[in-house]
C-alpha cells in the first residue's frame, strides 16, 4: 500500500501529511513518563529533534491540525538551557553551531507562523531565535580564515578546527529572517557579512554551488567539495528573505535564481524533478543525519516562494514531482505507510525507515500547500511573538554543574549584537575573537 495523494486536493495533501506525521511522532518518547522532553531515542542526535519539531511547526502551519502543538511546545521549551539560548548542559559534549541553529530556526518558524506562544513566564519564540543568533555572533572567529563560524562551539569537541557551510548558512538564514521580522538593519548587515565571507573562502562558487567546508589549519584553502541538499536550501531561504527585505533588490534576485538553479544537482536525471541526496543515496551510504537532509531543502524551497514569489513556478514543479514520488515510497512497514528514503524507487519500498525518512516525506508533501498558506508574519504584519534583542548575550554556559564564562563582552551590545570583541574561555584556554 502507498500513501494516497492527490495534489489537486488540499484535503488529500493534509490527510497524507497527517499519516506521515503520525508515523514520525510515534518515534518520539519524550512526552512519556520518565523520559526527557525534547529528545529522540538513539541513534538520533539532539539537533535532529530540533529539526523534527520545526517540521511539526510547519505541519500545524500548513494543515491547521493542532494535535501535536502541546508536545511540540513542551519539547522546544525543555531544551533551551539555563540561558534560554538552546545551550543545554547535557549537550555540551557534542553541540555544534549548526545543532544550536536548528533549534533556533524552529523557534524562528514558530514566530513567523504565529505558532501558539509560550506562557508569559517562559521565553518567547522570537527571543529564543534572537538568543541563538546573539550567542553565535559572539563566536564569529577571525583568528583563522578571516572570519566565519566554526562547526563546533567548544575546543574539546571533534570538528572545532573545521569551518563549514551549514553552521554559517544557519547563521545567515537566521540573520536574514530576523531582519525581515524585526526590521532591524543590524541583522541584515550580519547576513551580508556572512554571505560575503562564505564566498571569500570559496564555500560557494560562481555557479552558486555550495560545498561542505574546510579545515582552518590550511586557512580554509582546501575545500571539501561534497554537496548536500540542506546547504543548498539554507542559503536559498536566506537569500530569498534578503530579496524581500531589500525591496526586491536585483542583486539578491540574481542570487536567489542562481541558488535555485544550482539545486538541479539534487534532482534525479532519471526521474524528472524527483529529489535525491546525491552524495550518498545512490550508494546506500547515507547516515542517520543525512537521511533527513531532503526535508530541509523541501522546507526551505517552499518557504522561499513566499518571500521571492518569482521562483514559485520553478519550485512547485519540483515539489509536486518529489511529493508524488515520496508518497509512493511511503509503502512499507506493518501498516503499509512507512516511508523509505529513495523516492526514485517508486512504490517499491526501499526497506529503510526512521525519523529522517518520515520528516523528508512530510516536508515535501505538506509544502505543496504553500500557495494557499498565509505568508510569514513580521512584527509589523501581525506577528505576536515577543522579542528580546539582548537575549543570549550573557556569555556563560554550565558544564558539569559549574558556571563557566564562555564569552565576556568588551562593550555592551546595541540592538542585541556584539560590535567590538569577545573573549571565549573554555577549560582555562583563551581565544580572542574580533567580531
Amino acid at each position: 500500500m502507498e500513501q494516497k495523494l492527490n495534489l489537486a486536493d488540499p484535503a488529500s495533501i493534509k490527510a497524507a501529511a497527517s499519516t506521515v506525521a503520525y508515523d514520525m511522532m510515534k518515534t518520539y518518547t519524550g512526552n512519556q513518563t520518565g523520559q526527557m522532553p525534547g529528545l529522540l531515542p538513539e541513534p538520533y542526535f539532539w539537533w535532529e529533534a530540533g529539526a523534527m519539531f520545526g517540521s511539526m511547526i510547519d505541519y500545524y502551519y500548513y494543515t491547521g491540525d493542532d494535535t501535536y502543538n502541546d508536545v511540540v511546545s513542551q519539547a522546544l521549551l525543555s531544551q533551551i538551557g539555563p540561558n534560554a539560548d538552546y545551550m543545554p548542559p547535557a549537550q555540551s559534549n557534542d553541540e555544534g553551531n549548526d545543532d544550536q541553529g536548528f533549534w533556533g530556526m524552529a523557534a524562528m518558524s514558530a514566530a513567523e507562523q504565529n505558532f501558539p506562544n509560550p506562557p508569559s513566564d517562559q521565553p518567547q519564540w522570537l527571543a529564543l531565535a534572537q538568543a541563538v543568533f546573539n550567542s553565535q555572533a559572539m563566536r564569529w572567529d577571525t583568528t583563522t580564515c578571516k572570519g566565519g563560524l566554526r562547526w563546533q562551539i567548544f575546543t574539546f569537541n571533534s570538528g572545532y578546527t573545521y569551518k563549514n557551510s551549514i553552521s554559517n548558512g544557519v547563521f545567515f538564514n537566521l540573520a536574514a529572517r530576523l531582519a525581515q521580522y524585526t526590521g532591524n538593519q543590524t541583522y541584515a548587515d550580519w547576513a551580508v557579512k556572512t554571505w560575503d565571507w562564505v564566498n571569500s573562502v570559496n564555500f560557494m562558487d560562481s555557479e552558486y554551488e555550495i560545498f561542505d567546508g574546510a579545515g582552518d589549519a590550511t586557512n580554509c584553502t582546501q575545500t571539501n567539495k561534497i554537496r548536500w541538499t540542506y546547504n543548498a536550501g539554507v542559503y536559498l531561504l536566506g537569500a530569498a528573505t534578503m530579496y524581500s527585505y531589500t525591496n526586491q533588490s536585483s542583486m539578491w534576485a540574481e542570487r536567489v535564481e542562481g541558488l535555485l538553479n544550482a539545486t538541479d544537482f539534487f534532482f534525479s536525471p532519471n526521474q524528472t524533478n524527483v529529489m535525491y541526496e546525491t552524495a550518498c543515496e545512490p550508494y546506500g551510504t547515507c547516515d542517520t543525519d543525512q537521511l533527513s537532509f531532503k526535508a530541509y531543502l523541501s522546507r526551505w524551497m517552499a518557504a522561499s516562494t513566499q518571500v521571492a514569489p518569482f521562483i514559485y513556478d520553478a519550485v512547485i514543479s519540483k515539489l509536486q514531482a518529489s511529493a508524488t514520488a515520496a508518497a509512493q515510497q511511503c509503502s512499507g512497514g506493518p501498516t503499509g505507510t512507512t516511508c523509505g528514503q529513495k523516492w526514485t524507487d517508486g512504490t517499491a519500498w526501499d526497506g529503510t525507515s526512521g525519523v529522517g525518512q518520515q520528516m523528508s516525506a512530510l516536508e515535501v508533501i505538506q509544502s505543496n500547500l504553500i500557495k494557499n498558506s498565509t505568508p510569514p508574519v513580521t512584527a509589523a504584519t501581525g506577528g505576536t511573538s515577543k522579542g528580546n534583542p539582548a537575549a543570549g548575550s550573557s556569555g556563560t554556559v554550565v558544564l558539569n554543574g559549574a558556571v563557566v564564562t564562555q564569552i565576556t563582552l568588551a562593550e555592551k551590545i546595541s540592538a542585541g549584537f556584539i560590535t567590538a570583541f569577545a573573549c571565549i574561555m573554555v577549560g582555562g584556554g583563551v581565544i580572542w575573537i574580533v567580531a
Side-chain angles (χ1 to χ4, degrees), residues 11 15 33 45 73 115 210 214 216 234-235 262 276 295 299 321 339 352 373 392 421:
T33 301
F45 288 110
S73 291
F115 190 76
I210 300 170
D216 70 355
V234 78
Y235 285 91
Y276 76 125
R299 173 193 298 176
C339 301
T352 70
S373 299
F421 65 91

Side-chain angles (χ1 to χ4, degrees), residues 194-276:
T194 307
W195 174 276
D196 290 346
W197 179 82
V198 166
N199 280 270
S200 74
V201 291
N202 298 315
F203 288 1
M204 184 188 303
D205 68 11
S206 61
E207 298 300 316
Y208 297 95
E209 298 172 335
I210 300 170
F211 309 117
D212 190 74
D216 70 355
T218 58
N219 215 34
C220 295
T221 59
Q222 297 180 11
T223 307
N224 176 355
K225 293 200 171 183
I226 195 167
R227 295 171 65 188
W228 300 107
T229 49
Y230 74 162
N231 278 329
V234 78
Y235 285 91
L236 176 62
L237 178 56
T241 305
M242 288 300 292
Y243 166 79
S244 177
Y245 178 78
T246 56
N247 295 315
Q248 296 78 51
S249 149
S250 59
M251 178 182 69
W252 284 106
E254 179 182 339
R255 292 169 174 179
V256 170
E257 188 171 8
L259 287 164
L260 180 61
N261 289 341
T263 67
D264 287 347
F265 179 73
F266 301 108
F267 291 85
S268 173
N270 302 316
Q271 289 183 260
T272 303
N273 287 334
V274 174
M275 190 186 300
Y276 76 125

